[in-house]
Amino acid sequence: MNRRPIIIDCDPGYDDIQALILAKQCENVRVVAVTAVSGNVALKYTEKNALAITEYLGFDVPVASGAERPLFRDPLFAEEHHGEEGLLGMNLPEPSKKVVDKKAWDFIYDIAVELKGELEIVAVGPLTNIAIALMKYPELKDLVKTIYIMGGAILSGNSRFSTEFNIHVDPEAAKRVFESGIPFYLCPLDLTRQSYITDEEIVKVEEMGNKETKFFADITKLSMVTFSGNLPQRKDGIVGSNMHDPCTLLFADDNSIFDFEECYINVETFGKNAGKTVTDCYSDKQAEVKNGYLVKSVDRKAFVERVYSLLSKY
Ligand code: BDR
Ligand code: CA
């Protein structure tokens, strides 16, 4: 079967790294490029981490570098969850390959043109690269088939009580993507916090015994505690790793274990709660226009089984 072409736009970051390790083995999607953006850590690290992990995996996929900062705001980082350089203090061999000779937005556009409407994007960092691509090439909206976005928070926040990190970092970029007319699926925190793996479950990955799965297991175990102190990262007391970005990737690959609903989705761009995603999904009053899909839940056990099954291909 022909696997659907995707670009992964990311800010590695431990869970972006988890997603990239899984992406090589996906069954229904094929990664045609990785684009890096400023997010969890500065762009110089996210692009280096994207290069380093793909090379480590023997994953022959071009990497392009994108935005160094959000559209209109100062950069915000999440080093407390990802470590100063994004790998929770782990090291990968220095990459020998370089980023391609085009900025992420130009690379995305060129690939979209080449693929004549078949390109899909899995966006698991702030949406700055995609927004710049849409502003520079308005016709791109008719060339991208679907965007899968890790972002937003309906009931719970992480970067602030009201906001999720990726959307909080660049709300104006998110707004442009939500209003672009491109069909999109939003995987918010409320969903991705369901797709965790526990300290007991990760043992099975450790036992797989090769360098790729070992790296996955090691970075996942490190993410189970905050980088700065040995506190469980999850509020519910479960010692586990929230696999936010893998959740979004695996939804793009096969949505059969997820529930989702068409609804209205947008984001606040002013005031104290700028970056707060809004939806009519759970409201009595419904918006007149539905512009996207909210992914609401996942069968967690089945999700962990899929992670095992993809990793076991290494
Ligand atoms: C999202 O923000 C980043 O810290 C993670 O990589 C993920 O994409 C979770 O809010
Ligand atoms: Ca990310």
Side-chain angles (χ1 to χ4, degrees), residues 11 15-16 40 78 82 124 150 158 164-166 189 244-245:
D11 59 337
D15 59 326
D16 307 73
N40 289 319
H82 299 269
V124 293
M150 189 289 125
N158 59 1
E164 179 280 330
F165 179 78
N166 288 341
L189 264 191
H244 306 289
D245 295 348

Side-chain angles (χ1 to χ4, degrees), residues 84-132:
E84 213 176 305
E85 298 186 5
L87 297 178
L88 289 171
M90 290 186 66
N91 289 312
L92 282 167
E94 197 67 22
S96 65
K97 56 176 200 175
K98 300 262 177 285
V99 291
V100 297
D101 193 18
K102 279 180 195 170
K103 289 303 285 184
W105 37 90
D106 297 324
F107 202 44
I108 292 171
Y109 176 71
D110 289 352
I111 293 173
V113 170
E114 196 184 309
L115 291 174
K116 299 186 174 70
E118 289 308 309
L119 176 66
E120 301 180 28
I121 299 175
V122 176
V124 293
L127 290 164
T128 323
N129 286 346
I130 319 287
I132 294 175

Side-chain angles (χ1 to χ4, degrees), residues 202-271:
I202 198 68
V203 172
K204 188 161 169 180
V205 179
E206 286 183 283
E207 288 170 355
M208 290 178 186
N210 55 63
K211 67 170 194 167
E212 296 89 349
T213 51
K214 181 172 180 346
F215 197 86
F216 187 101
D218 287 349
I219 203 161
T220 300
K221 282 195 296 178
L222 280 171
S223 74
M224 290 179 187
V225 293
T226 61
F227 191 62
S228 49
N230 287 331
L231 296 170
Q233 189 196 357
R234 295 179 54 95
K235 274 193 163 173
D236 52 18
I238 295 169
V239 180
S241 172
N242 290 319
M243 295 190 285
H244 306 289
D245 295 348
C247 179
T248 310
L249 173 76
L250 266 54
F251 176 84
D253 190 45
D254 174 358
N255 64 22
S256 62
I257 57 170
F258 295 83
D259 287 321
F260 52 94
E261 189 177 325
E262 190 172 23
C263 54
Y264 171 78
I265 297 167
N266 217 318
V267 56
E268 294 298 314
T269 52
F270 293 102

Side-chain angles (χ1 to χ4, degrees), residues 40-312:
N40 289 319
V41 286
L43 182 69
K44 65 178 177 187
Y45 298 127
T46 61
E47 68 179 46
K48 182 178 171 198
N49 293 342
L51 286 168
I53 190 68
T54 49
E55 192 163 324
Y56 188 72
L57 300 171
F59 194 3
D60 187 18
V61 57
V63 175
S65 176
E68 221 165 337
R69 48 181 301 125
L71 293 184
F72 307 116
R73 295 172 188 259
D74 289 336
L76 267 182
F77 303 121
E79 289 141 334
E80 71 279 21
H81 294 297
H82 299 269
E84 213 176 305
E85 298 186 5
L87 297 178
L88 289 171
M90 290 186 66
N91 289 312
L92 282 167
E94 197 67 22
S96 65
K97 56 176 200 175
K98 300 262 177 285
V99 291
V100 297
D101 193 18
K102 279 180 195 170
K103 289 303 285 184
W105 37 90
D106 297 324
F107 202 44
I108 292 171
Y109 176 71
D110 289 352
I111 293 173
V113 170
E114 196 184 309
L115 291 174
K116 299 186 174 70
E118 289 308 309
L119 176 66
E120 301 180 28
I121 299 175
V122 176
V124 293
L127 290 164
T128 323
N129 286 346
I130 319 287
I132 294 175
L134 285 165
M135 289 190 286
K136 187 164 178 189
Y137 305 103
E139 65 276 29
L140 184 65
K141 69 175 181 5
D142 300 316
L143 291 169
V144 176
K145 199 171 183 178
T146 312
I147 306 186
Y148 305 90
I149 300 164
M150 189 289 125
I154 311 307
L155 293 173
S156 61
N158 59 1
S159 56
R160 286 180 307 198
F161 67 81
S162 56
T163 54
E164 179 280 330
F165 179 78
N166 288 341
I167 305 295
H168 174 197
V169 168
D170 200 344
E172 288 77 14
K175 192 168 183 63
R176 280 164 172 77
V177 175
F178 294 155
E179 294 181 355
S180 67
I182 300 173
F184 72 91
Y185 291 84
L186 189 74
C187 295
L189 264 191
D190 314 80
L191 168 80
T192 61
R193 279 185 171 148
Q194 298 168 33
S195 61
Y196 60 85
I197 186 163
T198 68
D199 50 353
E200 287 168 10
E201 290 165 338
I202 198 68
V203 172
K204 188 161 169 180
V205 179
E206 286 183 283
E207 288 170 355
M208 290 178 186
N210 55 63
K211 67 170 194 167
E212 296 89 349
T213 51
K214 181 172 180 346
F215 197 86
F216 187 101
D218 287 349
I219 203 161
T220 300
K221 282 195 296 178
L222 280 171
S223 74
M224 290 179 187
V225 293
T226 61
F227 191 62
S228 49
N230 287 331
L231 296 170
Q233 189 196 357
R234 295 179 54 95
K235 274 193 163 173
D236 52 18
I238 295 169
V239 180
S241 172
N242 290 319
M243 295 190 285
H244 306 289
D245 295 348
C247 179
T248 310
L249 173 76
L250 266 54
F251 176 84
D253 190 45
D254 174 358
N255 64 22
S256 62
I257 57 170
F258 295 83
D259 287 321
F260 52 94
E261 189 177 325
E262 190 172 23
C263 54
Y264 171 78
I265 297 167
N266 217 318
V267 56
E268 294 298 314
T269 52
F270 293 102
K272 279 191 185 158
N273 293 319
K276 170 74 190 162
T277 40
V278 291
T279 176
D280 65 350
C281 194
Y282 301 98
S283 305
D284 293 343
K285 299 265 188 302
Q286 292 289 295
E288 278 169 23
V289 180
K290 312 285 181 186
N291 60 329
Y293 291 83
L294 187 73
V295 189
K296 297 161 79 174
S297 62
V298 60
D299 176 341
R300 193 190 78 83
K301 289 273 182 212
F303 180 83
V304 173
E305 286 305 322
R306 266 170 66 183
V307 170
Y308 289 154
S309 146
L310 295 175
L311 292 175
S312 68

